[in-house]
Amino acid sequence: MAELTYRDAVARGIAQEMERDRNVVFLGEDIAKAGGVFKATVGLYDKFGPTRVRDTPISEQAILGAAMGAAMTGLRPIAEIMFADFAAVCFDYIANEFPKLRYMTNGQLGCPLVVRTGNGGGARFGAQHSQSIENWTMMIPGLKVVAPSSPIDVVGLLAAAVRDNDPVIFHEHKALYAIKGEVPDGEILDKLGTAKILRSGRDATILALGLMVHRAMEAAERLARDHGIDCEVIDVRSLVPLDTNTILNSISKTGRLFTVEENPRLCGWGAEIASIAVDEVFWDLDGPIVRITTPHIPLPAADHLEDLALPNADRIVERISRVMNGSRL
Amino acid sequence: MIIATTRMDKMAAKKTAGPLTLQNDDLDLETRMELFRLQVEIRVCEKKANDLFFQNLIKGTSHLSLGQEAIAAGVATAMRPGDKSFCTYRGHAHTLARGVPMEKVLGELMLRDNGLMRGKGGSMHLTSVEHGVMGSYAIIGAHLPIACGAAWRAQYLGDDDVSVCFFGDGTTNIGAFHEALNFAAIWKLPVVFICENNLYMEYTPIADVTAVEYPAADRASAYGLERIIVDGNDADAVFRVAQSAFDKARAGDGPSLIECLTYRHSGHSRADPAKYRPEGELEQWLERDPIKIYRDRLREFGVSDQQLEAIEAEAKRKVEAATEVCKASPPAPTELLTADVYANGGWEWRN
Ligand SMILES: Cc1ncc(C[n+]2csc(CCOP(=O)(O)OP(=O)(O)O)c2C)c(N)n1
């Protein structure tokens, strides 16, 4: 068992899959010789060489288009889009090309590829390098959407994504690259579409993803200690497929639902889950469903402004304790 | 008008080089007959598609390549089984040219169960993996990078197939075109880009919106590629240039960009009467109808009118038979609605 950073876990996961399957190839900007802008792919070029780990020009459309062409003819490419914001530059592939290929061709072609991307804020990068875009990708039929919050999940979910026969958007959180966690030796393979209960509790369910998982966990500890509110914290991990069994069971048990989302408020994934909860477990709910989100704004660069925008443990504690004590919003 | 005239004059000038005979020519008669047969079949099938549209048996839209048949026929004849084609919404011709049966193509245009994708794709997404037709893409330029990816797979696995990507002149102004060419060039990919310059994007003359005279060829040098322009109404010329591009790709010498000069006889799509065309332009190009050119050439080579007429009659018979099969085919079953969204065959995104 080794302590690995989230960033090293990325390289470990890619290496594991490249060793296992010669059809796994990896491409992106600065990912090979330079080891990636976030240094998440260091060592892969040395290990697997220039035919399997390939630097590309700044051509996001070519990166995703080529990954798709290779995927539909037999390879299993992993493509990196450096910052998640840049997904907008090649959104045709994400929205129109990969996800519709199988359907439109009546199953003649599939698109087994992974797009890894540095998602999320907190690093003072400003409005075009900090967005949390998981909701952009969640709404498209045919895609799978994954966002790990810990090193071990990075390895296991990345392996599952590479082996999956559908296109997977894999959101790494750039503010988590430096965190550490225990990762067992040997092959690790997780399962897409499985949420993880990180803290079990009686009084309320908190759902979170990526960086927000860590903030929700901190908030849950404080809610228990300072307010006597015992929260169950669930790391959603995968938005598509969505583990509604785990989520709805938890809501039925606690009777309360809070979501902690980093994406701007409008059309965030929490709204979708809230809607499912209202449809399917309404009679088990004891109070309003409350979404804690970033406001509907582009993210500012200034430290104190960015900190004000992103949900943090203080605000999560404050919102949940007030609602649980019966105050109106 | 001016562009067309200039271009027609240039083509006419090129034609005055000494007469070809079967003896001094590199193409054998069998290949020639095949090129003729393909062009004729594509023509009759597309004309049929037009009729079926007016009978409301084909719905949605359709984009015909009437007048551009020499390109699909010339390129496809130079391809080998296993080579991959990437087409656009104007892809009936390229699909038929790879040997896909007419009834499967017409069935898809009629959105019937017997169609290539059982009606789930429609005319703009014709795909037949078994024939190497790796899809038709309706977003301009999207398939150029995708063709690069298929070529990358061939290079990586040591497969010797070539990927071919057809597109129009309008496509040369979208970013994906430039990204794909640079990408293909630096990775030396076995991919051949075929630009069919038919003078118009949808309704706007390409010259009005493009900084150079030959929208593809004039940009080739920006990617270290040769400037290749060919008479796209001459199937032999297209065949020859395509064949040398395939040889180059298979030898590991990288991509080619070929600009084929041509003209579409009909509007952009079914809904377009093509009123924007200057008077006389169409008539001038009808003089250079690729099928007419080819028929004349085969006659010069001693092929009898009878033989030519037999090929034309057979194509008509085939299209009529295919149409009857399609008319008798039911629509796609309703369970297809939710099939194949995900790889497990279904559409569930939650448990
Ligand atoms: C990205 C994108 N923009 C616009 C369109 C609408 N559109 C469909 S065909 C077309 C013209 C394309 O012209 P060209 O590339 O010359 O091909 P042609 O139709 O002449 O074969 C346009 C603008 C589209 N399908 N995709």
Side-chain angles (χ1 to χ4, degrees):
Chain A
M1 179 89 79
E3 270 250 304
L4 276 192
T5 59
Y6 187 98
R7 101 170 7 100
D8 292 337
V10 172
R12 158 94 181 264
I14 296 172
Q16 174 187 299
E17 292 309 295
M18 291 187 78
E19 261 157 23
R20 187 186 57 80
D21 182 354
R22 191 174 103 79
N23 287 336
V24 178
V25 288
F26 179 32
L27 77 169
E29 293 160 24
D30 298 317
I31 55 116
K33 290 182 200 152
V37 283
F38 300 115
K39 297 284 168 233
T41 58
V42 170
L44 294 171
Y45 177 79
D46 293 335
K47 198 163 187 173
F48 298 101
T51 57
R52 296 188 69 190
V53 179
R54 300 199 72 159
D55 280 326
T56 65
I58 307 167
S59 300
E60 277 76 12
Q61 296 193 59
I63 294 168
L64 292 199
M68 171 167 166
M72 62 198 255
T73 56
L75 300 186
R76 289 190 170 262
I78 303 173
E80 177 176 307
I81 295 299
M82 198 184 264
F83 283 75
D85 315 65
F86 310 162
V89 175
C90 44
F91 208 60
D92 178 35
Y93 294 93
I94 296 173
N96 293 318
E97 309 297 342
F98 321 150
K100 299 183 168 77
L101 185 67
R102 188 179 294 280
Y103 189 84
M104 290 195 316
T105 65
N106 192 40
Q108 288 184 62
L109 289 166
C111 195
L113 58 76
V114 179
V115 180
R116 297 177 37 245
T117 188
N119 195 37
R124 322 309 188 202
F125 285 150
Q128 295 182 337
H129 285 69
S130 303
Q131 291 170 87
S132 226
I133 67 148
E134 61 275 2
N135 53 333
W136 296 4
T137 47
M138 181 186 184
M139 63 188 175
I140 301 161
L143 283 183
K144 290 181 175 170
V145 181
V146 178
S149 70
S150 68
I152 186 170
D153 283 3
V154 166
V155 182
L157 292 174
L158 187 54
V162 170
R163 296 183 206 190
D164 199 273
N165 288 326
D166 288 310
V168 181
I169 311 294
F170 194 81
H171 294 294
E172 290 158 23
H173 200 293
K174 64 176 91 69
L176 292 177
Y177 279 123
I179 65 156
K180 287 189 172 158
E182 292 283 318
V183 181
D185 299 331
E187 180 177 288
I188 301 177
L189 176 62
D190 208 324
K191 198 164 176 296
L192 301 188
T194 50
K196 234 186 205 174
I197 300 173
L198 295 184
R199 182 187 195 284
S200 81
R202 248 186 352 258
D203 301 330
T205 298
I206 307 178
L207 302 182
L209 198 70
L211 175 65
M212 292 301 120
V213 169
H214 298 265
R215 299 193 172 172
M217 283 295 282
E218 186 189 337
E221 293 308 323
R222 281 162 50 183
L223 283 161
R225 189 185 64 216
D226 303 338
H227 300 271
I229 300 169
D230 184 22
C231 293
E232 183 139 302
V233 179
I234 296 181
D235 181 350
V236 180
R237 304 204 310 159
S238 162
L239 292 172
V240 182
L242 185 68
D243 183 0
T244 41
N245 290 344
T246 301
I247 292 168
L248 295 178
N249 283 339
S250 173
I251 298 166
S252 295
K253 179 177 91 174
T254 64
R256 308 297 294 246
L257 173 61
F258 297 90
T259 64
V260 185
E261 298 162 65
E262 187 177 338
N263 41 233
R265 186 170 187 84
L266 284 195
C267 301
W269 55 262
E272 185 59 48
I273 297 180
S275 152
I276 293 171
V278 168
D279 281 351
E280 300 181 30
V281 292
F282 180 78
W283 304 108
D284 297 334
L285 285 168
D286 297 328
I289 296 172
V290 175
R291 296 174 58 217
I292 300 160
T293 69
T294 293
H296 193 58
I297 55 168
L299 274 186
D303 314 37
H304 65 296
L305 295 183
E306 189 179 41
D307 287 344
L308 264 179
L310 299 177
N312 62 15
D314 287 348
R315 279 196 292 284
I316 299 168
V317 167
E318 207 249 346
R319 287 298 291 282
I320 293 180
S321 58
R322 281 183 54 196
V323 175
M324 292 297 286
N325 288 326
S327 327
R328 295 208 158 229
L329 295 176
Chain B
M1 179 67 179
I2 289 171
I3 305 162
T5 312
T6 330
R7 187 198 278 184
M8 298 276 290
D9 291 347
K10 280 184 195 163
M11 285 184 183
K14 267 208 321 218
K15 275 201 73 184
T16 54
L20 274 177
T21 67
L22 266 185
Q23 280 67 44
N24 71 8
D25 189 24
D26 55 330
L27 286 183
D28 56 35
L29 192 58
E30 203 185 321
T31 310
R32 282 248 160 73
M33 296 304 275
E34 174 64 9
L35 283 166
F36 182 68
R37 184 189 63 79
L38 272 178
Q39 293 182 83
V40 169
E41 283 194 3
I42 294 166
R43 172 74 53 96
V44 297
C45 191
E46 291 222 288
K47 283 202 155 158
K48 188 60 164 186
N50 202 42
D51 295 347
L52 292 169
F53 212 111
F54 286 114
Q55 295 165 38
N56 202 27
L57 285 166
I58 288 179
K59 311 216 170 89
T61 184
S62 75
H63 305 76
L64 306 179
S65 312
L66 298 174
Q68 306 183 196
E69 296 88 348
I71 300 167
V75 175
T77 305
M79 290 173 84
R80 290 187 193 163
D83 287 342
K84 315 257 179 277
S85 334
F86 292 82
C87 312
T88 70
Y89 50 89
R90 196 183 302 288
H92 313 167
H94 310 111
T95 305
L96 291 165
R98 292 303 305 280
V100 177
M102 267 184 204
E103 66 185 58
K104 295 238 160 204
V105 171
L106 286 174
E108 190 60 32
L109 302 193
M110 289 164 73
L111 308 176
R112 303 291 171 118
D113 198 31
N114 77 322
L116 275 175
M117 295 90 73
R118 305 180 71 186
K120 283 181 81 177
S123 77
M124 297 204 281
H125 299 294
L126 299 179
T127 304
S128 180
V129 173
E130 127 192 40
H131 296 90
V133 180
M134 305 302 281
S136 306
Y137 299 81
I139 310 288
I140 299 296
H143 62 316
L144 280 80
I146 297 171
C148 288
W152 173 34
R153 176 266 325 151
Q155 183 187 61
Y156 177 77
L157 295 178
D159 297 341
D160 76 343
D161 60 284
V162 175
S163 292
V164 177
C165 186
F166 298 94
F167 53 93
D169 41 277
T171 305
T172 63
N173 289 322
I174 204 162
F177 168 86
H178 300 275
E179 292 196 14
L181 278 153
N182 183 55
F183 194 89
I186 57 170
W187 287 20
K188 276 203 160 189
L189 297 175
V191 55
V192 176
F193 298 103
I194 306 280
C195 175
E196 300 187 45
N197 183 351
N198 60 14
L199 290 183
Y200 292 90
M201 24 189 283
E202 266 175 332
Y203 313 124
T204 306
I206 192 65
D208 287 3
V209 292
T210 309
V212 290
E213 186 180 359
Y214 292 100
D218 285 347
R219 280 131 162 191
S221 69
Y223 306 105
L225 299 176
E226 199 184 335
R227 182 176 192 272
I228 304 174
I229 299 174
V230 63
D231 178 354
N233 283 20
D234 181 342
D236 291 353
V238 173
F239 173 83
R240 286 194 190 95
V241 79
Q243 205 172 40
S244 77
F246 294 149
D247 289 347
K248 176 180 165 193
R250 272 188 251 276
D253 294 332
S256 301
L257 172 61
I258 298 169
E259 180 164 341
C260 306
L261 305 181
T262 186
Y263 191 80
R264 64 168 147 75
H265 294 169
S266 53
H268 162 73
S269 65
R270 224 286 297 158
D272 171 24
K275 289 267 170 54
Y276 44 83
R277 298 197 291 211
E279 214 178 303
E281 187 179 85
L282 171 63
E283 289 68 23
Q284 252 191 317
W285 279 92
L286 286 173
E287 289 293 303
R288 286 197 40 76
D289 180 336
I291 294 180
K292 177 173 174 300
I293 291 175
Y294 217 81
R295 200 188 286 115
D296 291 347
R297 183 171 304 158
L298 287 176
R299 276 204 198 99
E300 275 175 43
F301 288 159
V303 178
S304 70
D305 281 350
Q306 237 178 346
Q307 276 175 287
L308 297 173
E309 280 157 21
I311 290 174
E312 288 164 336
E314 172 60 11
K316 287 191 181 129
R317 192 201 58 74
K318 263 168 113 170
V319 85
E320 292 309 325
T323 305
E324 291 314 309
V325 171
C326 298
K327 282 186 183 163
S329 172
T334 50
E335 58 269 25
L336 283 192
L337 177 66
T338 50
D340 284 318
V341 176
Y342 293 101
N344 63 6
W347 65 308
E348 286 299 334
W349 57 276
R350 49 170 285 190
N351 60 24

